[in-house]
């Protein structure tokens, strides 16, 4: 089935509700924007699903998956992460750490489920892509008791470590992360300002080239800023004009600084994860699904080759013939893998409140 034949949300879709929520007690006073979709049947949801996006994306990045999961009877929550879209973009890097964001997401789930502080929440289905996948895996380490299952598209699990690696050291081991050296600096956020430049960058990240066919982004060295002229960039093969315009409009609020903060939290995350090591919480203990994309240059399937040793619960593996943007490029196949996994979990696990 072609991508354009798969049901998807539009930027003004009436099937979702838009909400904002300032996280109670948040040290950064962060206000999140998130969308909620309920089952189209009007029946009570059989479970709650929380979907987490990555870079450079929005809640709208799950546009092909939200209607599908709602059709399976789930209530689906999708936030704009800190730095993105209509969610705040704090100055402090600590606002973008895995643990901080995970705690914020728990608060959002609690609010959507109508649970008071200290009251049990219903276990959720959790999914992530790109940085969202990294957050999802860490969520499974910090709060396994809140999850029915977890799935990640493209992003492998890596275990916490007691040795700190600089970004340079990481790139020596993983040359496919070379672009992150540029993103860790301020080159891109300084050079890409204003709606048209932002639109051009997003188009490039989503597969566009210059109109004469030159690539403008490479995983080894990042964005070729000298080629990033708005009137010289072609169209993305993965998004319609209306969709890329929507992305550009949403990004104008925060610019690129907030989204790129996610590439600068290496040390913050390392320090915050010390308790996971001390408490022996280094393995995933809930049923999991890993969907790799065969043509993903940034997160190639080989990166997930030995994941099983870090899982004490079943790990299901699937692969799609797609680039990094598998959610959009092969939505029917990706949805099929997610749907089979989730419906199996819903069948095996009667709905039950968590601690």
């Amino acid at each position: 089935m072609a991508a354009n034949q798969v049901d998807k949300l539009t930027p003004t879709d009436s099937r979702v509700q838009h909400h904002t929520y300032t996280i109670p007690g948040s040290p950064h006073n962060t206000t999140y924007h998130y969308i909620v979709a309920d089952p189209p049947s009007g029946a009570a949801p059989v479970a709650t699903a929380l979907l987490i996006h990555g870079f450079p994306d929005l809640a709208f990045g799950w546009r092909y998956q939200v209607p599908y999961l709602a059709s399976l009877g789930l209530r689906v929550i999708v936030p704009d992460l800190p730095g993105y879209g209509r969610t705040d973009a704090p100055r402090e890097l600590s606002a973008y750490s895995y643990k901080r964001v995970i705690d914020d997401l728990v608060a959002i789930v609690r609010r959507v489920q109508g649970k008071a502080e200290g009251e049990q929440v219903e276990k959720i289905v959790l999914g992530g892509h790109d940085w969202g996948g990294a957050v999802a895996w860490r969520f499974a380490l910090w709060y396994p008791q809140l999850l029915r299952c977890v799935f990640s598209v493209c992003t492998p699990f890596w275990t916490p470590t007691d040795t700190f690696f600089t970004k340079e050291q990481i790139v020596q081991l993983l040359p496919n992360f070379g672009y992150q050296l540029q993103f860790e600096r301020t080159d891109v956020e300084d050079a890409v300002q204003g709606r048209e430049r932002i639109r051009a960058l997003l188009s490039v990240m989503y597969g566009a080239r210059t109109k004469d066919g030159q690539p403008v982004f490479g995983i080894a060295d990042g964005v070729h800023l000298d080629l990033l002229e708005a009137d010289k960039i072609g169209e993305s093969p993965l998004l319609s004009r209306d969709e890329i315009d929507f992305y550009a409009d949403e990004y104008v609020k925060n610019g690129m600084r907030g989204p790129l903060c996610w590439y600068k939290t290496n040390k913050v995350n390392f320090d915050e994860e010390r308790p996971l090591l001390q408490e022996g919480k280094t393995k995933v203990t809930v049923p999991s699904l890993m969907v790799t994309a065969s043509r993903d240059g940034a997160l190639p399937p080989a990166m997930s080759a030995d994941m099983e040793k870090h899982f004490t619960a079943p790990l299901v593996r699937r692969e799609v013939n797609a680039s990094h943007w598998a959610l959009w490029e092969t939505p029917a196949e990706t949805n099929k893998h997610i749907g089979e996994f989730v419906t199996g979990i819903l069948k095996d696990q009667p709905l039950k409140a968590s601690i």
Side-chain angles (χ1 to χ4, degrees):
M1 182 182 295
N4 60 10
Q5 295 177 301
V6 180
D7 186 19
K8 63 176 176 175
L9 300 178
T10 65
T12 58
D13 208 298
S14 62
R15 292 175 292 178
V16 300
Q17 298 175 330
H18 293 259
H19 301 272
T20 57
Y21 186 44
T22 302
I23 306 301
S26 167
H28 309 288
N29 200 36
T30 305
T31 297
Y32 279 73
H33 163 258
Y34 60 94
I35 60 174
V36 177
D38 284 319
S41 63
V46 297
T48 299
L50 175 66
L51 305 179
I52 315 174
H53 72 81
F55 177 90
D57 213 345
L58 298 164
F60 189 61
W62 291 95
R63 57 192 171 276
Y64 287 99
Q65 287 70 45
V66 170
Y68 175 69
L69 289 173
S71 75
L72 298 180
L74 287 88
R75 169 175 288 162
V76 188
I77 308 168
V78 198
D80 288 340
L81 291 183
Y84 294 90
R86 303 178 202 180
T87 292
D88 287 349
R91 303 298 306 187
E92 303 87 354
L93 288 180
S94 55
Y96 303 85
S97 76
Y98 297 143
K99 183 60 163 59
R100 177 69 268 152
V101 171
I102 289 166
D103 285 343
D104 291 349
L105 295 178
V106 171
I108 291 172
V109 170
R110 182 176 296 282
R111 186 190 192 216
V112 173
Q113 291 187 350
K115 306 294 185 180
E117 187 66 34
E119 187 179 359
Q120 291 182 334
V121 299
E122 296 171 356
K123 291 185 178 184
I124 65 171
V125 171
L126 180 65
H129 172 254
D130 190 78
W131 280 118
V135 174
W137 291 129
R138 283 318 193 244
F139 195 124
L141 296 185
W142 285 108
Y143 298 118
Q145 73 275 17
L146 301 183
L147 301 182
R148 301 179 77 163
C149 60
V150 58
F151 67 87
S152 175
V153 180
C154 296
T155 311
F157 173 83
W158 59 86
T159 189
T161 175
D162 58 4
T163 302
F164 177 71
F165 294 95
T166 66
K167 192 61 64 68
E168 289 77 11
Q169 290 172 317
I170 293 172
V171 170
Q172 284 184 345
L173 296 171
L174 298 169
N176 47 298
F177 280 4
Y179 67 95
Q180 295 192 15
L181 293 173
Q182 182 193 48
F183 286 2
E184 192 178 41
R185 303 190 301 266
T186 62
D187 306 26
V188 175
E189 61 199 73
D190 290 344
V192 182
Q193 300 188 24
R195 183 187 182 281
E196 294 311 306
R197 290 277 281 181
I198 290 173
R199 188 186 191 281
L201 176 65
L202 293 171
S203 297
V204 163
M205 298 303 298
Y206 304 148
R209 297 187 170 210
T210 63
K211 291 178 179 177
D212 60 1
Q214 296 183 73
V216 188
F217 171 78
I219 59 170
D221 50 6
V223 182
H224 302 165
L225 294 170
D226 57 319
L227 298 177
L228 195 69
E229 298 296 334
D231 59 348
K232 296 180 181 179
I233 300 298
E235 294 296 325
S236 165
L238 296 173
L239 290 85
S240 68
R241 280 179 172 268
D242 286 346
E243 288 170 341
I244 196 71
D245 283 341
F246 172 72
Y247 268 90
D249 290 342
E250 292 290 287
Y251 265 71
V252 166
K253 173 190 173 186
N254 294 324
M256 298 309 303
R257 180 192 60 80
L260 288 168
C261 281
W262 285 81
Y263 291 90
K264 305 173 185 179
T265 57
N266 212 21
K267 187 62 164 60
V268 173
N269 285 323
F270 173 79
D271 290 340
E272 285 191 346
E273 290 184 353
R274 302 297 293 176
L276 291 177
L277 287 165
Q278 293 164 0
E279 297 169 21
K281 296 179 178 179
T282 60
K283 295 190 176 184
V284 178
T285 59
V286 297
S288 305
L289 168 68
M290 177 71 225
V291 181
T292 53
S294 59
R295 293 182 283 104
D296 188 341
L299 296 169
M303 286 185 64
S304 69
D306 62 349
M307 275 174 52
E308 280 84 358
K309 67 184 181 182
H310 302 300
F311 288 69
T312 62
L315 170 63
V316 177
R317 286 182 172 274
R318 296 291 184 266
E319 186 162 310
V320 294
N321 180 20
S323 70
H324 183 67
W325 303 109
L327 297 177
W328 319 340
E329 192 174 350
T330 54
E333 189 178 0
T334 301
N335 284 358
K336 176 177 180 289
H337 294 322
I338 294 171
E340 289 176 348
F341 173 69
V342 171
T343 53
I345 295 296
L346 297 179
K347 180 180 178 181
D348 294 341
Q349 296 183 25
L351 187 60
K352 182 179 179 181
S354 179
I355 295 174

